[in-house]
């Protein structure tokens, strides 16, 4: 990470949330699965596909990965149920890559198998 990136990241907690939301709204569909599905469906209606991911990288323990696994599985089910033309983006660090590579791959495999 560059010095500029580190500076920006370190100052974000001090930026008022309305300003962060305004800047991020172009890239972040919302705070809930329903928000994301609403935006993805709108993109589909306009002829675009979407990719959905969940924030939360660089976990400290493998236990932190399990809620993300369950949430991604629910998200995939919702995408299928609503017939949304979307993929999901899995960040391996969210599943413990830096903690235990084999455990990470096992968790990701469970998501892929569920899909």
């Amino acid at each position: 990470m560059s010095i500029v990136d580190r500076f920006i990241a370190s100052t974000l907690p001090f930026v008022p949330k309305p300003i962060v939301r305004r800047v991020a709204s172009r890239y972040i569909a919302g705070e809930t699965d329903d928000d994301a599905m609403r935006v993805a469906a709108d993109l589909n209606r306009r002829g675009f596909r979407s990719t959905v991911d969940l924030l939360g990288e660089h976990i400290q323990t493998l236990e932190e990965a399990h809620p993300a696994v369950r949430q991604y599985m629910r998200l995939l089910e919702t995408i299928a149920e609503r017939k949304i033309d979307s993929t999901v983006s899995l960040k391996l660090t969210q599943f413990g890559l830096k903690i235990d590579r084999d455990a990470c791959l096992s968790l990701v495999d469970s998501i892929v198998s569920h899909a």
Side-chain angles (χ1 to χ4, degrees):
M1 186 183 294
S2 75
I3 292 172
V4 173
D5 291 338
R6 275 188 232 146
F7 173 75
I8 291 170
S10 69
T11 62
L12 280 178
F14 304 106
V15 178
K17 287 189 186 224
I19 293 172
V20 173
R21 277 196 188 99
R22 189 175 205 188
V23 171
S25 66
R26 178 177 167 101
Y27 306 101
I28 298 175
E31 295 182 23
T32 67
D33 291 355
D34 281 337
D35 292 339
M37 293 301 98
R38 203 170 20 260
V39 171
D42 182 56
L43 287 168
N44 287 175
R45 281 190 291 279
R46 295 186 308 165
F48 299 99
R49 298 184 73 204
S50 65
T51 298
V52 179
D53 66 20
L54 304 173
L55 300 179
E57 292 185 71
H58 307 293
I59 60 171
Q60 302 300 313
T61 68
L62 284 176
E63 289 74 32
E64 293 175 79
H66 295 284
V69 170
R70 290 189 297 273
Q71 192 170 1
Y72 269 106
M73 288 180 174
R74 282 193 310 270
L75 186 59
L76 287 163
E77 291 166 5
T78 303
I79 288 169
E81 289 166 3
R82 297 186 189 185
K83 297 177 175 43
I84 304 286
D85 190 2
S86 180
T87 60
V88 296
S89 173
L90 304 177
K91 298 170 293 301
L92 297 182
T93 55
Q94 190 170 20
F95 302 103
L97 180 63
K98 293 182 177 182
I99 300 166
D100 182 332
R101 181 183 182 273
D102 291 336
C104 169
L105 295 177
S106 177
L107 292 171
V108 170
D109 183 59
S110 68
I111 297 169
V112 172
S113 296
H114 189 77

